[in-house]
Structure formats: structure tokens, C-alpha cells
Amino acid sequence: MNKHQQSGMTTLLITSMLLIVALLFSLASYKSLFYQIKRTQNEVLARQAHWAAEGGLECGFAAIQYTGSISGASSTFNDCEDLLNLSDVDVDNDNYINSEYLGVSNKIIKKKINLSSRLAGAIQARSDLKLVGDYDIYPDVDGLNIDGNYNCIAIRYSNKFFFERTAPGELEVFDPEQNGPYQGFPTSGKCSITHKTLLNSNTSTEDLTKNNLKKDFIYDSDFDPFESVFDNTRSELDEIKKDFEIIDGSKINCDEKIRDAFLINNKVWVSGHCDLMGGTLVGGLNKTARLLVIENGIFATYGAVEFYGMVYHLYTDPIIDMSSSWTGMHSGNTLSVDDKKKAVYFQSGAFIPVGGLVLDSPQGLSVFHSSMNFKFKGDANPNDNSNITWIKGSWHDF
């Protein structure tokens, strides 16, 4: 074999080795590239799952905002699941919205919401509250009970409560009205058995031997309905009043003055005493949500009328002996001498503010002598503040 033949073979051998090395490097590079492609595809699927789950959070949140309550929105969560191919959207007992996507990639996201809506309760009293007669209450609700029915709230109070039965009367809490607590509340909505009071004997919270009240009567010594109704603090009272038609009260023609004011504004603020008497003019207004506030005046009526709105009785002046203030109040003629000393609210008829009644007079007494069928309707309150937000630190902090 000559020198030139050996040189050609060496060249061929070196070239072959270089090609083999290049091939090995190429294979190694392609393996790494395939790995990166796979990782990229997995990341795309993971982000798709993540954004689908986040979409479930936003969909659930929008549903709650629209209905104003978790229980009212729960029936629409299935729509969120179907639209986004999610396996589950729900809200737990700690107010976390949970959104779960199960597919090629799985993702579960949970964020907490804050429900700063109005305080539940058809009647809310910071005064002592005395009911004499016969009462049927179709209550407000505050979410679902663990038994699947509703936590009905008939009366929320912070001082003393008295019920005096007049035969054959009783105080009975029924299931809420359809669309009562909020728009969309179902016909099938029932109160939990633990939230459905029936009183057929005299009851007083001063009598510790009796335990007749169920959980639809909420005692809370610290509750304050003001911010819940007005969405502002008491220190901003002047600012709050700017949204109202302000009138002076009257012991003679308060009904007429309030009616005329409501023809201008669906929010009326009465300063001073107000004898509504029969209340036929106020009761005859059309069914537009209204808010009537009586500030630092005694309020009385004997009418059997339905007012489509909320009444807020605000009494902050000192209460020593109110007897002289009842002079000239025709609607207070049947109020007892003893009750007149402390009473700042009295009704002897079935005057029913279906949007709720708030008795914000901590030192006073509110008295009812009535046969009343109180059917609560949340939509009758123009200040029904259902402010639902994400908890800070949980979502959208920018």
C-alpha cells in the first residue's frame, strides 16, 4: 500500500469520526430541544388551566355581585363551569371562591371575597322593642345553613325584647317571600328549622327561664346599622343628607309633607316629631324603592298601610321623660302612661315598611300594638348596599 492510499484512508477515517461526533452532538441537541419543546407545551397547558381557573373566579364574583348574595348566585355557578370547561366553581363557608380546572393540566385557585352588604333583618332595633298583638313575619336571609335551607333573620336587636300575646294571636316566622330577601330568591327557599321562631306565649329577654327565640332573632349588643344603610359613617351625617329631600316634622300633616317630598326625591329626611296618622298618602305612592328617615323626633302612626320602602328612625338626643313630647300626637293616644316616658316610636296599626324597619334609638323604646303581616322585600330599599369586593392581599391589589 503506497503513501497516497494511506493518506486517503486517514482522511476518510477522520472525516467519518468528525461526522459521527457531529451526529452525536446533533442528537444531544435535538434531545435537549425536544425537552424544551415539551416543557413549553406543558407550560402553555398549565397557563391555559391557570387562566381558565382565574376566569372561574371572575365569573363567580360577577354572579355574586349581580345577585347581591352568595346564596342567590350559587345556582348560576354551573353556567361558569360550562362556559370555561371547569370541573367546579363554588364558595366555601369562609367566603373563598374556589375555581377548579381538571384536564390535561390541573389547576385549583381560591380567593377570598368581602361581603359588606346590609345587615340582614326585617326589623332591626337598637331601642328596647315591645310587640303586643299578632305578628306574621316573612323574613330576610343571611346565607345558607349547613342543612341546605336558609339562615332566616326576622329581628336583629341590641337591647331588650318583649312579646305580649293577645289571644288568639302569636308571633310566627314564615318562609321568605319569593324575590323577598333579594331578586331571584326562589319560591322553594325555606328557613332552616333552627331559624324559624314561633311564639304563642308572652316572651321577654329579661326572663332567663324562657328560651323561646330561635336563631332568626339575633341579639348583638354591639351591632350598628348606620353604615350598612348609608354606606358612610355617622360623622359624615351632613354629607349623607345631601342626597335627601329634607323637611321639618309635624304632629298634624306629616303624612302630606312626606308624600309631597317623595314626589321630588325617593329619599326623604324628616327632622323632628312626625305623626303619620293613617299614612294613606304615603301608602298610596307607587312601588318605587324609597327611604324615609326620621331624625330626633318621636314617630307614630295608626294606619294599616304598606309603604314600599325602608323606614330608619334615628334618635340620638338624650331620653329622660318623653311624656310631654307625646302631647298633640294623635296616633299615640293609646300608648300607656308608663310607656310614654321612654317611647320614641309607636304604631297601633299595621304600618308596614316592606323594605325594612330600623329603630336606631339606643336609649329609647319602640312599641307596636298591632296585627301585622310583615313581608320583607329587599328591593324596596334604595340604599340596599351589597358591596362585594376581593379581600385586600387576595386579588387585584393594583
Side-chain angles (χ1 to χ4, degrees), residues 206-259:
E206 291 185 323
D207 185 356
L208 300 180
T209 65
K210 285 191 174 182
N211 189 24
N212 296 345
L213 302 178
K214 293 190 178 181
K215 293 181 179 180
D216 51 338
F217 279 64
I218 295 182
Y219 172 74
D220 181 357
S221 60
D222 297 321
F223 102 92
D224 187 344
F226 190 91
E227 291 186 26
S228 171
V229 173
F230 299 106
D231 199 26
N232 212 331
T233 62
R234 292 176 184 270
S235 62
E236 299 297 323
L237 194 61
D238 291 338
E239 188 66 25
I240 292 170
K241 287 183 178 181
K242 291 179 181 179
D243 291 334
F244 288 75
E245 185 70 19
I246 301 175
I247 62 174
D248 292 328
S250 171
K251 294 184 178 181
I252 301 173
N253 60 342
C254 203
D255 185 22
E256 181 180 354
K257 295 179 71 173
I258 291 173
R259 188 275 313 271

Side-chain angles (χ1 to χ4, degrees), residues 41-325:
Q41 290 176 334
N42 289 342
E43 183 66 22
V44 169
L45 292 173
R47 298 313 296 169
Q48 288 175 341
H50 175 84
W51 287 111
E54 284 196 351
L57 292 182
E58 291 289 0
C59 184
F61 181 72
I64 296 169
Q65 280 194 316
Y66 178 76
T67 60
S69 70
I70 292 173
S71 56
S74 59
S75 62
T76 66
F77 289 160
N78 288 336
D79 296 334
C80 298
E81 296 167 3
D82 294 339
L83 287 170
L84 298 167
N85 294 321
L86 300 171
S87 61
D88 186 45
V89 175
D90 63 15
V91 182
D92 63 23
N93 292 332
D94 295 321
N95 289 342
Y96 278 93
I97 300 181
N98 302 287
S99 179
E100 183 176 3
Y101 178 88
L102 295 179
V104 178
S105 183
N106 302 334
K107 187 68 177 181
I108 301 175
I109 300 178
K110 59 185 296 184
K111 303 292 180 182
K112 191 170 186 178
I113 57 174
N114 179 46
L115 297 171
S116 57
S117 59
R118 59 171 169 77
L119 289 171
I123 298 174
Q124 302 177 29
R126 296 180 78 206
S127 64
D128 290 346
L129 181 59
K130 183 178 180 180
L131 304 182
V132 182
D134 180 30
Y135 299 87
D136 295 339
I137 301 177
Y138 295 75
D140 196 2
V141 298
D142 188 17
L144 287 170
N145 192 272
I146 57 174
D147 64 6
N149 292 316
Y150 287 87
N151 295 323
C152 293
I153 309 298
I155 296 179
R156 185 184 295 268
Y157 63 103
S158 63
N159 284 301
K160 299 172 184 177
F161 171 77
F162 309 91
F163 170 65
E164 294 182 12
R165 174 178 177 267
T166 54
E170 59 188 10
L171 188 155
E172 184 173 2
V173 176
F174 291 84
D175 294 323
E177 286 275 277
Q178 181 183 6
N179 297 319
Y182 50 82
Q183 193 63 33
F185 186 83
T187 308
S188 59
K190 306 294 184 183
C191 296
S192 171
I193 191 65
T194 58
H195 290 71
K196 205 170 184 180
T197 291
L198 172 61
L199 301 180
N200 48 29
S201 63
N202 292 353
T203 299
S204 168
T205 53
E206 291 185 323
D207 185 356
L208 300 180
T209 65
K210 285 191 174 182
N211 189 24
N212 296 345
L213 302 178
K214 293 190 178 181
K215 293 181 179 180
D216 51 338
F217 279 64
I218 295 182
Y219 172 74
D220 181 357
S221 60
D222 297 321
F223 102 92
D224 187 344
F226 190 91
E227 291 186 26
S228 171
V229 173
F230 299 106
D231 199 26
N232 212 331
T233 62
R234 292 176 184 270
S235 62
E236 299 297 323
L237 194 61
D238 291 338
E239 188 66 25
I240 292 170
K241 287 183 178 181
K242 291 179 181 179
D243 291 334
F244 288 75
E245 185 70 19
I246 301 175
I247 62 174
D248 292 328
S250 171
K251 294 184 178 181
I252 301 173
N253 60 342
C254 203
D255 185 22
E256 181 180 354
K257 295 179 71 173
I258 291 173
R259 188 275 313 271
D260 292 344
F262 272 131
L263 296 177
I264 301 170
N265 190 339
N266 65 356
K267 298 180 182 180
V268 173
W269 195 287
V270 180
S271 296
H273 306 314
C274 178
D275 191 342
L276 200 63
M277 297 190 180
T280 54
L281 298 179
V282 171
L285 293 166
N286 60 29
K287 290 191 175 182
T288 299
R290 292 181 169 88
L291 176 57
L292 174 63
V293 179
I294 299 92
E295 180 189 14
N296 287 331
I298 56 176
F299 180 82
T301 178
Y302 59 79
V305 297
E306 180 181 285
F307 169 60
Y308 198 81
M310 167 182 269
V311 171
Y312 194 106
H313 188 219
L314 176 65
Y315 205 103
T316 57
D317 285 347
I319 295 175
I320 301 173
D321 187 338
M322 302 300 297
S323 299
S324 60
S325 296

Side-chain angles (χ1 to χ4, degrees), residues 1-59:
M1 186 177 292
N2 61 33
K3 180 178 179 181
H4 292 291
Q5 290 175 325
Q6 291 177 348
S7 176
M9 184 173 287
T10 302
T11 301
L12 181 60
L13 180 61
I14 292 172
T15 301
S16 299
M17 292 180 65
L18 289 173
L19 289 172
I20 292 170
V21 170
L23 179 61
L24 291 174
F25 274 111
S26 296
L27 291 174
S29 175
Y30 274 115
K31 184 178 180 180
S32 176
L33 179 61
F34 288 143
Y35 175 72
Q36 292 299 328
I37 292 172
K38 187 176 180 179
R39 284 196 60 183
T40 301
Q41 290 176 334
N42 289 342
E43 183 66 22
V44 169
L45 292 173
R47 298 313 296 169
Q48 288 175 341
H50 175 84
W51 287 111
E54 284 196 351
L57 292 182
E58 291 289 0
C59 184

